[in-house]
Amino acid sequence: MNHEVQEEQARDAMRAWLAEFAPLVMDQSQRTATEIRQELDLIERLQGRTSDLDQGKGLLTRMDDGELIRTYNQAREQIRTIERDLRRRLATLAPGDPNSEPDYDALQERLAETAAQIEVGVPTFSANPDRLELASSPAQVAAGIGMGIFGLGWTAFTTLHAFFMIGGMMKAMGPVAFAMLGFYAIFWAVGVGMFMSAFNMAAQETISLEGDTLTITKTLGPIRRAKQHRINPKLQVRIGTTEKQVSHGRGRSVPMKVAAIIFTSENGRPIAVATGTTDANREVMLRQIQAHLGQEDTSPVPPPIQD
């Protein structure tokens, strides 16, 4: 076989390779799990031909071959990144598919939460298939301790101030001085609010969903507080924002908008959970909740992975 024939065959093979590769990056439409599996098979075939194409590059000597070779080199460098992105997309569409690649960060978060559940004695799964149990937010002990210390100082100072102020006024005004208790009650209420915020920060949050009953449980050591809500399962559960007291140093807290999973109660009131976890874990929980309630999956498709 003469050189010209070999050169033309190498050129045709590279053009054909790029023609098959192009839809992987040119077609930006949403893909189904079946389409992603087909594209992964295509990538495997393309990668199997790169060795021969790399050898054939040396035969291409025409002036217009430069653009062909540059395009091939760029595609060859990016094909592994495209493959990883497709496998991660497949993991969101078909969890457990052996061709998929799970989100390792989210998986590590879940493993850490499972370890925490085991440590405090919370079941890691529900024996009742009609009941969904999730560890929605890990404990934030440091933030809770800071808020608790500040609340203790606030309440102690208010109590001490009230004791001396009312005691001094008693000498001049008699029992009328006890009317000041209404004024100090405002400050004691703030202190109670700080203690409640400290508990919510330091406690682990778990949720249980059975039928239209949502149970939110806060656990801190031996203290366990559960609250039940009746939800409307026909209204879409979503990721949104809610206002939460966030620690801001020296025990102080400020109200901030934070991401959360939002349920809707039977009377239309929003119910926020999972404010203390990561975005990735929140999206995984949302898909589990939507699947449990038979709702359409509205979680966002992750963007392509960029090296």
Side-chain angles (χ1 to χ4, degrees):
M1 185 182 296
N2 61 41
H3 177 79
E4 289 78 10
V5 174
Q6 291 179 325
E7 180 180 358
E8 194 59 34
Q9 287 180 341
R11 185 176 293 111
D12 290 342
M14 188 170 292
R15 286 172 178 162
W17 191 95
L18 286 172
E20 292 182 74
F21 172 85
L24 294 173
V25 293
M26 299 299 291
D27 182 7
Q28 296 299 315
S29 61
Q30 298 293 338
R31 294 165 171 81
T32 65
T34 299
E35 290 171 336
I36 290 178
R37 294 187 189 100
Q38 292 171 348
E39 290 185 336
L40 289 172
D41 289 340
L42 171 61
I43 287 176
E44 184 176 355
R45 294 195 301 271
L46 291 174
Q47 289 177 322
R49 286 152 49 190
T50 55
S51 179
D52 292 338
L53 291 175
D54 290 341
Q55 293 179 4
K57 281 193 298 184
L59 301 173
L60 305 181
T61 57
R62 287 195 332 212
M63 291 288 293
D64 58 347
D65 287 336
E67 184 177 5
L68 177 64
I69 294 173
R70 282 195 301 274
T71 306
Y72 166 75
N73 287 339
Q74 288 179 326
R76 186 160 172 1
E77 290 175 0
Q78 295 181 22
I79 195 168
R80 289 193 179 277
T81 300
I82 295 170
E83 178 186 12
R84 187 169 69 248
D85 175 46
L86 288 172
R87 292 190 186 280
R88 292 188 176 184
R89 287 174 182 261
L90 182 60
T92 66
L93 295 173
D97 191 299
N99 292 314
S100 66
E101 179 179 310
D103 185 328
Y104 295 127
D105 289 338
L107 183 57
Q108 289 173 7
E109 284 278 344
R110 181 57 185 149
L111 289 172
E113 290 177 359
T114 301
Q117 286 178 276
I118 294 172
E119 185 176 348
V120 299
V122 177
T124 58
F125 68 95
S126 174
N128 183 355
D130 296 326
R131 182 174 181 173
L132 177 67
E133 294 185 356
L134 297 170
S136 48
S137 289
Q140 299 175 354
V141 178
I145 291 175
M147 176 58 67
I149 292 174
F150 189 76
L152 181 62
W154 175 282
T155 305
F157 176 80
T158 300
T159 303
L160 188 63
H161 192 279
F163 177 80
F164 285 109
M165 179 64 72
I166 295 176
M169 293 180 65
M170 280 280 293
K171 296 178 180 179
M173 303 174 58
V176 177
F178 285 109
M180 289 291 294
L181 289 173
F183 170 76
Y184 283 104
I186 299 173
F187 297 92
W188 281 317
V190 173
V192 171
M194 290 180 184
F195 287 129
M196 293 180 63
S197 295
F199 175 82
N200 289 331
M201 288 178 183
Q204 181 191 35
E205 179 188 85
T206 59
I207 62 172
S208 172
L209 189 59
E210 186 170 11
D212 62 352
T213 301
L214 171 67
T215 304
I216 304 174
T217 304
K218 299 278 191 175
T219 304
L220 179 60
I223 304 174
R224 186 182 181 90
R225 190 182 70 183
K227 187 174 182 180
Q228 287 190 338
H229 304 267
R230 296 292 293 275
I231 66 167
N232 187 339
K234 296 181 179 179
L235 294 181
Q236 191 76 21
V237 182
R238 58 187 174 82
I239 290 179
T241 59
T242 186
E243 190 172 277
K244 178 183 177 182
Q245 294 292 325
V246 177
S247 179
H248 195 56
R250 295 186 179 180
R252 295 182 295 114
S253 68
V254 293
M256 291 183 63
K257 291 288 186 180
V258 296
I261 295 177
I262 307 295
F263 292 85
T264 304
S265 70
E266 60 182 359
N267 59 7
R269 184 174 59 85
I271 304 169
V273 298
T275 59
T277 190
T278 63
D279 290 339
N281 198 44
R282 198 176 291 114
E283 290 171 6
V284 171
M285 284 191 288
L286 176 64
R287 288 193 292 271
Q288 292 177 287
I289 293 168
Q290 289 174 335
H292 181 77
L293 294 175
Q295 297 180 354
E296 181 182 355
D297 184 359
T298 60
S299 56
V301 177
I305 304 298
Q306 298 292 333
D307 279 348

